[in-house]
Amino acid sequence: TGGHTTEILRLLSCLSESYSPRHYVLADSDKMSEAKIRSFEQKRAETFSKSQFTLDRIPRSREVRQSWISSVVTTLYSILYSLPLTCKRKPDLILCNGPGTCVPVCLSAFLLGLLRIKRTIIVYVESICRVETLSLSGKILYYFSDYFIVQWPDLKKKYPKSVYLGRIV
């Protein structure tokens, strides 16, 4: 919600029209991001007439201030909900930047790859505000992503698998 959505839309604004259709996955309780995405896509359609997108909702894997124990249960539920969605959409690429909602989707896609159903490239971009430590999503997806992008040199030093490109959002 909010900051993550703004960052990912900035990244998407640089993509060519060949990245279509785009499938957005939102937490079912996220109302603000949907409006931002629709506005972004409406403006994009003015430039790229064949622009296509979908919006899908999944249960939120973790609420702010939710206990760690209960978040394991809600994340597992969200993964179970994400599996059929990921199977249906069969994405070639997942581009994500940190909200907890991306973890179940990425883990579902990773599982589909392990089962040889569909191989999906997972690109994780750590938020610009993460200067010294990774977010919880980043700590999890560091091990599952194909490309893990950080925006600060100190994070590159701490996480050697990461790719440092400077500020990209």
Side-chain angles (χ1 to χ4, degrees):
T1 306
H4 289 295
T5 303
T6 300
E7 284 186 9
I8 202 75
L9 292 178
R10 282 186 190 155
L11 286 172
L12 291 176
S13 68
C14 300
L15 296 180
S16 72
E17 66 181 312
S18 63
Y19 289 92
S20 183
R22 285 165 307 286
H23 305 287
Y24 296 92
V25 180
L26 309 167
D28 53 8
S29 59
D30 184 353
K31 306 299 180 217
M32 184 172 29
S33 293
E34 181 175 349
K36 286 184 176 188
I37 291 165
R38 289 192 184 281
S39 174
F40 170 81
E41 287 293 340
Q42 186 176 24
K43 288 176 188 166
R44 189 171 174 90
E46 293 169 5
T47 306
F48 304 115
S49 60
K50 295 181 182 178
S51 185
Q52 296 176 332
F53 75 99
T54 62
L55 287 168
D56 292 297
R57 294 189 175 275
I58 63 169
R60 189 177 289 273
S61 58
R62 184 169 185 269
E63 295 287 347
V64 176
R65 294 186 202 92
Q66 182 178 348
S67 74
W68 293 106
I69 302 244
S70 66
S71 67
V72 170
V73 174
T74 55
T75 300
L76 287 173
Y77 176 68
S78 191
I79 290 169
L80 289 174
Y81 202 92
S82 297
L83 272 169
L85 175 63
T86 309
C87 226
K88 175 184 171 187
R89 297 290 181 208
K90 290 189 177 32
D92 296 317
L93 171 79
I94 293 177
L95 176 63
C96 56
N97 68 328
T101 304
C102 72
V103 173
V105 175
C106 290
L107 293 179
S108 297
F110 184 78
L111 180 61
L112 292 180
L114 288 178
L115 297 172
R116 300 196 189 278
I117 295 171
K118 170 66 175 161
R119 170 76 172 100
T120 301
I121 297 169
I122 299 172
V123 178
Y124 182 86
V125 180
E126 186 61 274
S127 176
I128 187 76
C129 68
R130 302 307 300 205
V131 178
E132 296 178 5
T133 61
L134 297 179
S135 63
L136 178 58
S137 297
K139 289 174 183 174
I140 295 168
L141 294 177
Y142 180 76
Y143 300 99
F144 297 97
S145 60
D146 296 286
Y147 300 96
F148 191 92
I149 300 169
V150 295
Q151 300 183 63
W152 294 97
D154 286 349
L155 286 177
K156 170 63 181 162
K157 291 175 192 169
K158 289 180 183 176
Y159 299 94
K161 177 192 164 195
S162 67
V163 177
Y164 170 64
L165 299 175
R167 285 183 57 178
I168 59 174
V169 292

